[in-house]
Amino acid sequence: MDTAHIRNFSIIAHIDHGKTTLSDRLLHRTGTIATRNMSDQLLDSMDLERERGITIKAHPVTMLYKARNGEEYELNLIDTPGHVDFTYEVSRSLSACEGAILIIDAAQGVEAQTVANVHLATKQNLTIIPVINKIDLPHANVALTKQQLEDILTIPADQAIPASAKEGIGIDEILEAIVARVPPPKPTGAVSMQGLCFDSYFDTYKGVVTHVRVFNGELKPGMDIKLLQTGKSYQIKEVGSFNPKPYVREKLEVGETGYFTANIKTPKDVKMGDTLTEARHPSPVLPGFKESHPMVFSGIYPINTADYEHLKANMAKLQLNDSAFVYQSESSVALGFGFRCGFLGLLHLEIVQERLRREYDMDIIATYPSVVYKVTLTDGTVKEIDNPAFLPEVNYIEKIEEPMVWAFIICPNECIGDMMSLIAEKRGTADHTETLDSKRVMITTSLPLNEILIDFHDRIKSITRGFGSMDYEHAGYLPSDMVKLDMLVNNESVDAFSSIVHRSKADSRGRALAAKLKEVIPKQQYQVAIQAAIGGKIVARETVSAMRKDVTAKCYGGDITRKRKLLEKQKEGKKRMKAFGSVNIPQEAFIEVLKA
């Protein structure tokens, strides 16, 4: 199709503001999907996405639309995730577009992720079309949302389109705005074909299917192409687009998005953001986006150790469809053989675990999540440590640096005091606060990534009764007083419970873990000491009392010395048992503690 009739756009918004519902309506209105085939969350193909009402993967789709001026246009839409963990998906999608539809919920207003996504879109110089969604809700406040649009995002309110994706209001206006406002794609003028690889998935029969946006020239079967980052060359076998299922086309021209297959065996051979060009006359590299690096690490082990090989094969399959997930083998004294896995964030970790359980029917257990610390040794070498087991001895460490994040928290005015206490509790410092409107403020704060891993988002929601929202971006490393907290059971260290914590939090965390372990470790014939230790210093202790047999039960009266003799004999036996005995912690105990 002629480039003047092609429009590439993305849908961006805060989580749960109606992106997927709007994309469903656009597909129906343009006739891409027949009414009999319509269903809710059409582009969300995973069960998990449908259940949780979230988008995890970006989904491209090509629609043909006949505009009011009588001409036909090819609209290439990429539906993007809204959760902060999947920002890398959003940045990839935006780099393949010229425009973005920004959805704002008329009842919720501008939220943290809305601001972050607008910044991503303006960095890429995209045309933004604001849409105020859910205007049919009884508590929708369109006037206030328009004011926030001008005050917070500096977008003129008269450009906003009022709509309700659920009721189908304003859909035609949105389609006309895309045709009128989003600029058509322009060729880059390079010597040969140029394309940007922005996503991929694995197909059992075709190998790696790579999503591509053509910036220059044309892509067709039989061409010899080269991927500039990996330096590998392939021959194109098939090209096509999505509607939303893949369909084969003769060729992809300038400005069009679609997919290609080329007998690529593993997704590692296609780096996201890589430039695709002709093998004989390579074009220069296109400005892509940064590679995604894992931020949160956790150990995943099979509950039944015999399932190790099975888990290894399933993780390889999962990685084929999720290039941001990384893993490597590790072993633990307590849990046997397993894997150290890297994730983009806590939601990503949850999704991967859930997919392993559901799609691959695996019984797994995950260790306490940790982040990557930079450890400078006394000889000047710098090590990256993501597992407490690999932390060197204290006398070899010069300093430990922990990863920091800039967090942007939007909350109601009356919750600002509680929010400041939460930030202080998590070792954060509030940089500045900004009044957004008469009801809400935005707090910009610097926090350690380690502190926001577990319950920070939940705490924000409970403090603000669901009205708060948060977005964060990484802000480098800072030196910090971090220590390794070991858990000792009967004077033996249990590596599965070790963690790297800030010195000020070590005592309370040690006490909590010791109390939990006391509940789950079964009684032995002798007293078992559970201790939390930093180096050689014990900071918390609990004792599991011994199982006692009443050895004096057979004595009916008589001299007290007889009873005393029996009790002394029992005491000696327990002392000898304690010296030689070892405590076997059952698998259930590990599962209980790690769940807590």
Side-chain angles (χ1 to χ4, degrees):
M1 190 176 269
D2 174 26
T3 51
H5 290 101
I6 295 174
R7 301 288 183 271
N8 292 310
F9 69 99
S10 209
I11 301 183
I12 54 174
H14 187 83
I15 191 166
D16 210 21
H17 277 206
K19 292 181 297 300
T20 307
T21 315
L22 179 65
S23 56
D24 287 350
R25 289 292 154 270
L26 295 176
L27 287 172
H28 185 234
R29 172 65 188 81
T30 54
T32 309
I33 296 290
T35 307
R36 67 174 185 276
N37 296 330
M38 273 307 288
S39 66
D40 286 343
Q41 291 172 266
L42 203 79
L43 293 180
D44 290 347
S45 49
M46 278 186 242
D47 288 344
L48 265 173
E49 291 182 310
R50 290 170 178 277
E51 271 173 37
R52 290 174 174 236
I54 57 174
T55 302
I56 295 165
K57 289 285 289 175
H59 299 274
V61 64
T62 299
M63 304 176 283
L64 293 173
Y65 170 62
K66 194 162 189 177
R68 285 173 188 164
N69 60 14
E71 301 206 23
E72 193 172 52
Y73 289 85
E74 182 184 305
L75 308 181
N76 294 311
L77 151 71
I78 303 170
D79 179 26
T80 62
H83 196 279
V84 59
D85 279 8
F86 299 111
T87 307
Y88 79 106
E89 289 270 353
V90 181
S91 71
R92 291 209 302 233
S93 308
L94 293 180
S95 56
C97 297
E98 278 82 33
I101 293 179
L102 171 71
I103 301 181
I104 302 164
D105 189 326
Q108 304 273 356
V110 172
E111 297 203 56
Q113 195 65 27
T114 321
V115 181
N117 283 337
V118 169
H119 286 324
L120 277 178
T122 44
K123 258 188 208 167
Q124 307 266 13
N125 295 322
L126 301 191
T127 302
I128 296 172
I129 301 172
V131 172
I132 297 171
N133 194 21
K134 306 189 187 180
I135 58 166
D136 58 313
L137 292 180
H139 52 289
N141 191 338
V142 179
L144 180 66
T145 310
K146 283 187 172 180
Q147 191 189 329
Q148 288 175 1
L149 199 62
E150 293 201 332
D151 296 349
I152 303 167
L153 305 175
T154 62
I155 295 172
D158 56 358
Q159 289 184 8
I161 302 167
S164 166
K166 195 175 181 184
E167 298 298 324
I169 302 165
I171 303 301
D172 287 339
E173 286 75 9
I174 293 169
L175 285 164
E176 286 298 323
I178 293 164
V179 169
R181 298 189 208 171
V182 176
K186 290 189 182 82
T188 56
V191 289
S192 66
M193 198 281 295
Q194 260 183 330
L196 181 78
C197 305
F198 64 89
D199 207 350
S200 70
Y201 67 90
F202 187 78
D203 184 286
T204 319
Y205 303 105
K206 298 177 181 175
V208 178
V209 178
T210 310
H211 296 185
V212 65
R213 152 76 201 269
V214 180
F215 277 89
N216 202 59
E218 59 182 34
L219 190 65
K220 54 187 177 185
M223 273 178 72
D224 290 322
I225 52 113
K226 186 178 183 181
L227 294 165
L228 293 181
Q229 274 188 30
T230 56
K232 294 188 176 177
S233 297
Y234 301 96
Q235 190 181 50
I236 300 278
K237 298 292 175 196
E238 177 184 303
V239 299
S241 291
F242 299 90
N243 74 345
K245 289 188 167 55
Y247 67 95
V248 180
R249 292 174 66 168
E250 281 181 26
K251 58 183 177 182
L252 290 176
E253 296 179 310
V254 176
E256 294 188 319
T257 56
Y259 71 88
F260 73 87
T261 61
N263 283 358
I264 303 172
K265 299 286 189 295
T266 64
K268 284 180 185 168
D269 293 341
V270 185
K271 281 207 158 69
M272 290 308 102
D274 202 347
T275 303
L276 180 77
T277 179
E278 277 183 42
R280 289 191 191 88
H281 311 287
S283 288
V285 177
L286 286 164
F289 33 85
K290 295 187 198 87
E291 258 190 89
S292 59
H293 292 291
M295 284 295 157
V296 176
F297 286 83
S298 172
I300 289 183
Y301 293 84
I303 285 179
N304 179 2
T305 45
D307 287 342
Y308 172 75
E309 287 299 328
H310 195 35
L311 178 63
K312 188 177 183 179
N314 288 334
M315 281 197 167
K317 284 181 196 168
L318 186 62
Q319 195 183 36
L320 292 176
N321 290 320
D322 185 353
S323 55
F325 165 61
V326 294
Y327 68 93
Q328 61 186 55
S329 300
E330 73 165 2
S331 65
S332 149
V333 177
L335 298 168
F337 289 102
F339 298 93
R340 190 86 190 151
C341 305
F343 308 91
L344 296 165
L346 220 64
L347 178 75
H348 190 212
L349 177 146
E350 218 176 298
I351 296 292
V352 167
Q353 284 181 24
E354 198 62 32
R355 286 183 72 183
L356 282 169
R357 288 191 181 106
R358 285 188 192 191
E359 295 172 30
Y360 302 103
D361 204 22
M362 295 301 309
D363 259 352
I364 52 169
I365 172 176
T367 61
Y368 194 81
S370 66
V371 295
V372 184
Y373 296 95
K374 282 187 178 169
V375 180
T376 307
L377 304 179
T378 44
D379 63 359
T381 54
V382 178
K383 278 188 171 183
E384 291 198 344
I385 304 285
D386 59 35
N387 189 341
F390 301 137
L391 193 70
E393 291 296 320
V394 187
N395 47 333
Y396 295 116
I397 297 174
E398 182 75 38
K399 64 174 178 180
I400 300 178
E401 293 173 283
E402 65 175 337
M404 302 295 287
V405 293
W406 278 113
F408 310 100
I409 302 165
I410 293 180
C411 69
N413 291 344
E414 63 270 18
C415 302
I416 192 164
D418 293 336
M419 199 55 72
M420 289 297 191
S421 335
L422 176 65
I423 290 167
E425 183 193 319
K426 298 290 184 187
R427 300 192 288 120
T429 50
D431 191 58
H432 64 272
T433 57
E434 214 175 306
T435 306
L436 300 180
D437 52 42
S438 58
K439 290 182 181 172
R440 299 183 312 160
V441 290
M442 181 159 90
I443 305 166
T444 305
T445 168
S446 168
L447 285 155
L449 178 61
N450 174 22
E451 293 287 342
I452 66 169
L453 279 188
I454 302 299
D455 60 347
F456 190 65
H457 196 261
D458 298 345
R459 293 274 297 277
I460 287 176
K461 287 292 180 192
S462 58
I463 285 172
T464 60
R465 297 181 295 285
F467 290 107
S469 63
M470 176 189 107
D471 179 61
Y472 66 86
E473 59 186 47
H474 298 284
Y477 281 77
L478 275 182
S480 190
D481 188 10
M482 306 303 289
V483 291
K484 182 184 175 188
L485 180 72
D486 284 311
M487 295 307 294
L488 310 175
V489 176
N490 201 26
N491 296 324
E492 282 185 24
S493 176
V494 182
D495 61 347
F497 300 133
S498 298
S499 55
I500 299 172
V501 290
H502 193 265
R503 198 179 291 276
S504 63
K505 299 279 180 87
D507 294 18
S508 56
R509 178 153 163 71
R511 276 195 294 275
L513 264 174
K516 187 69 192 169
L517 278 168
K518 185 186 176 183
E519 288 172 28
V520 295
I521 288 179
K523 285 187 173 187
Q524 308 292 321
Q525 294 283 5
Y526 48 89
Q527 274 191 359
V528 175
I530 299 168
Q531 297 162 311
I534 300 170
K537 184 187 172 191
I538 305 296
V539 293
R541 175 185 168 125
E542 293 283 349
T543 307
V544 179
S545 55
M547 280 199 290
R548 292 209 47 187
K549 181 184 173 188
D550 189 359
V551 287
T552 59
K554 61 187 177 189
C555 302
Y556 297 100
D559 189 13
I560 186 73
T561 52
R562 190 162 169 229
K563 287 186 181 179
R564 205 165 274 155
K565 190 177 169 188
L566 288 168
L567 288 168
E568 284 298 321
K569 195 176 175 187
Q570 185 190 37
K571 196 174 166 186
E572 280 299 314
K574 286 194 183 292
K575 196 174 174 185
R576 200 162 54 246
M577 224 186 262
K578 189 170 185 176
F580 297 110
S582 67
V583 180
N584 285 330
I585 304 172
Q587 191 78 38
E588 295 74 46
F590 283 105
I591 296 167
E592 280 303 310
V593 173
L594 294 170
K595 270 183 193 167

